[in-house]
Amino acid sequence: MKHFLFFLYYYPPVPGTAAKRNGRISKAITEKAQSTHIFTASQIPDDQSIQRNSKVTTIAAFDYRKILRRNTKDGALPENVKQHAAAQWMIRLINSFPFNIVAGEGGLIYFYNLLRKGSKAIREGHITHLYSSFRPFADHYAAFLLKKKHPEVFWIADFRDLIIDPHYNHILFAGNHHTFFSKIFRKADLLTTVSDGLAVHLRAYNQNVITLRNGIEGDIAKPQSVSVSRFTIAYTGSMFLDKRNVDPIFQALQELLQDTVIDGGDIGIIYAGKDGNFWKQVAEKYRLESLLDDKGIVSAVEAQQIQHDACINVLLTVSSDQLQGVLTGKMIEYFQSGSPVLGIVVGHNDPELQSILMELEIGDSFSDQPSDLELIKSFIQREYLHWKNTGMNRKPVNTDILKRKYAMDAVMTPLWNVLDKTQSAI
């Protein structure tokens, strides 16, 4: 009999891909477990449906996110603020131990309550499994301390991102932290993460790592093409310093317009997110500001509609020799929309991302280097000609593969296999 305790700072109805991943995985586990108890910083509405064998407890949190939410919709800093040297130093500080516990997401009160209430739940709820997810580090660190106190509990530590990311350099004294994190995560019984590329790095902490990709809940139906008045290229999400580069899209459009391959009156570039000012600056750089439609921060339902109606959904990420497989959570939403996906990767193309896109027949990815510009132009031109001839967007996604590999049952299979083996060994 499995009784799960979850530490999930991000949880629905909070928007964003982190809450969605945590919600999907906890729901899938709840369907198989005897009971689950979820601790989260999210405020759960009274009308939100909770599975009959599950309990959700909101843990009070006072952190920088709460302060930022007083002035922003999403509790995040705009990219133009992050770029300042003082802001970068503060970000590194707040990501470093012990400041990530004291002032990071959750804060000290949240962390203390995880320990106090978590220990009580383990004693009184006959907890057999403890699941925590990064970010924030507070969830993992509380789980680590409870694992030490209750070694019989099976601890699963999930990673949507790496704590020490070679691309962002967003932590102080990375070498010391690596030693510190190694001591912590070798105590875990299992590490889970979103990609094979991240899994490679996590094995430096613990050899028991499995890839648990983001998945799709419910029935997966073949998306239907829709009639659209403009050829729209859409991006819904955030920018991250210089680690996401949209310039190749604008440069490709500028050259296609100059060569009269496409008609400017047909084109719409749609952006939805917190970084509209950044997109406006890039559009002005290429004299394409008249084509940009900045929607600002929109609801999840509006974002899905933009993705569904798009002729191309843009996927931005970063890859290097040091780290590959940085797969944004938006990717699974793009797969659900079925529209063509154009990946632009800072540094060099990511083989894992490209393999996924091509296997699903939904699109392709390219580096942001000048050598790939002609390929990007060809991709856009092909989709433009389809729209010009039909007035419809295209839905090329291979639904059979989508069902086979990205339905939640399929995504969770590696975890069920591990849990079944450990249950048999008891």
Side-chain angles (χ1 to χ4, degrees):
M1 306 294 273
K2 298 181 180 69
H3 299 269
F4 268 79
L5 176 62
F6 292 88
F7 290 169
L8 306 174
Y9 175 92
Y10 291 104
Y11 190 76
V14 166
T17 57
K20 289 178 182 177
R21 175 177 173 83
N22 289 340
R24 286 189 296 257
I25 290 176
S26 62
K27 183 179 178 181
I29 289 174
T30 299
E31 290 173 354
K32 288 184 174 285
Q34 181 73 9
S35 69
T36 58
H37 193 167
I38 298 163
F39 287 178
T40 178
S42 302
Q43 294 291 331
I44 308 300
D46 293 336
D47 60 353
Q48 180 164 321
S49 60
I50 304 295
Q51 290 153 285
R52 61 172 182 80
N53 58 332
S54 184
K55 180 180 179 182
V56 181
T57 299
T58 297
I59 306 295
F62 183 77
D63 54 21
Y64 73 94
R65 292 283 187 199
K66 188 169 185 177
I67 296 170
L68 287 173
R69 286 189 187 102
R70 294 173 182 172
N71 300 308
T72 64
K73 285 186 178 181
D74 60 353
L77 287 172
E79 292 307 302
N80 61 333
V81 175
K82 286 184 184 178
Q83 290 172 358
H84 295 155
Q88 280 295 297
W89 188 86
M90 282 300 299
I91 289 170
R92 292 188 182 99
L93 181 67
I94 212 167
N95 282 322
S96 304
F97 187 82
F99 300 100
N100 50 7
I101 301 298
V102 176
E105 289 153 312
L108 202 55
I109 294 173
Y110 173 81
F111 174 72
Y112 172 74
N113 280 319
L114 286 183
L115 290 176
R116 184 173 62 86
K117 295 183 179 183
S119 186
K120 182 179 180 182
I122 290 172
R123 290 196 313 271
E124 297 180 358
H126 308 291
I127 297 299
T128 59
H129 294 74
L130 176 58
Y131 179 105
S132 56
S133 185
F134 175 80
R135 307 174 58 114
F137 180 66
D139 284 348
H140 278 341
Y141 196 51
F144 161 71
L145 293 176
L146 288 176
K147 171 69 175 178
K148 288 182 67 177
K149 186 176 181 180
H150 304 276
E152 73 282 1
V153 173
F154 190 96
W155 175 27
I156 303 168
D158 181 58
F159 293 82
R160 300 183 303 275
D161 304 289
L162 294 181
I163 298 183
I164 302 176
D165 190 313
H167 294 149
Y168 293 96
N169 188 29
H170 56 7
I171 197 166
L172 299 174
F173 308 112
N176 292 338
H177 274 90
H178 178 75
T179 302
F180 175 60
F181 293 144
S182 296
K183 292 178 181 177
I184 290 173
F185 295 115
R186 72 168 62 122
K187 291 286 187 182
D189 296 281
L190 180 67
L191 307 186
T192 60
T193 189
V194 297
S195 75
D196 295 338
L198 268 60
V200 169
H201 285 258
L202 289 171
R203 289 192 179 94
Y205 299 149
N206 190 319
Q207 284 297 307
N208 297 321
V209 183
I210 60 171
T211 298
L212 214 60
R213 298 198 191 278
N214 289 316
I216 299 172
E217 282 187 292
D219 295 333
I220 299 175
K222 183 169 179 58
Q224 298 301 308
S225 297
V226 293
S227 175
V228 285
S229 59
R230 290 186 305 164
F231 178 79
T232 53
I233 299 174
Y235 180 72
T236 55
S238 297
M239 306 300 288
F240 289 95
L241 301 173
D242 59 347
K243 302 304 183 289
R244 292 188 179 177
N245 186 6
V246 74
D247 276 63
I249 301 290
F250 283 90
Q251 186 176 352
L253 287 173
Q254 184 187 61
E255 293 189 11
L256 289 169
L257 286 165
Q258 289 172 346
D259 295 340
T260 65
V261 174
I262 62 176
D263 184 340
D266 293 336
I267 310 299
I269 305 170
I270 300 177
Y271 173 71
K274 66 180 177 62
D275 300 310
N277 287 335
F278 176 86
W279 277 69
K280 289 174 185 175
Q281 291 172 8
V282 178
E284 289 171 0
K285 174 181 173 182
Y286 291 94
R287 301 187 300 279
L288 298 177
E289 59 268 29
S290 63
L291 306 185
L292 179 64
D293 182 4
D294 176 20
K295 301 288 188 182
I297 296 175
V298 301
S299 68
V301 172
E302 290 174 291
Q304 289 166 5
Q305 192 63 54
I306 290 170
Q307 294 160 5
H308 180 70
D309 293 346
C311 296
I312 294 176
N313 281 314
V314 175
L315 183 65
L316 303 178
T317 188
V318 60
S319 182
S320 68
D321 293 334
Q322 289 75 39
L323 176 62
Q324 300 172 14
V326 183
L327 305 181
T328 168
K330 284 289 176 187
M331 187 174 74
I332 202 68
E333 297 178 13
Y334 286 178
F335 292 172
Q336 284 182 274
S337 81
S339 298
V341 175
L342 172 56
I344 304 295
V345 186
V346 170
H348 59 63
N349 206 354
D350 189 299
E352 186 173 358
L353 172 61
Q354 187 173 47
S355 174
I356 289 170
L357 294 178
M358 298 192 76
E359 181 185 40
L360 280 168
E361 301 171 20
I362 197 172
D364 203 348
S365 66
F366 309 96
S367 79
D368 67 341
Q369 303 303 305
S371 56
D372 276 2
L373 183 61
E374 290 301 319
L375 296 173
I376 296 169
K377 288 165 62 177
S378 296
F379 186 103
I380 294 172
Q381 184 180 350
R382 282 195 303 272
E383 298 304 330
Y384 173 79
L385 289 174
H386 173 85
W387 170 82
K388 194 71 173 174
N389 290 330
T390 66
M392 312 276 286
N393 66 358
R394 205 166 65 89
K395 300 292 181 180
V397 65
N398 186 317
T399 311
D400 291 336
I401 294 176
L402 196 62
K403 290 177 182 178
R404 192 166 73 246
K405 290 202 169 183
Y406 294 92
M408 282 306 297
D409 282 346
V411 165
M412 296 295 288
T413 295
L415 180 60
W416 304 148
N417 291 340
V418 171
L419 295 183
D420 288 344
K421 287 178 183 177
T422 57
Q423 187 72 22
S424 301
I426 294 174

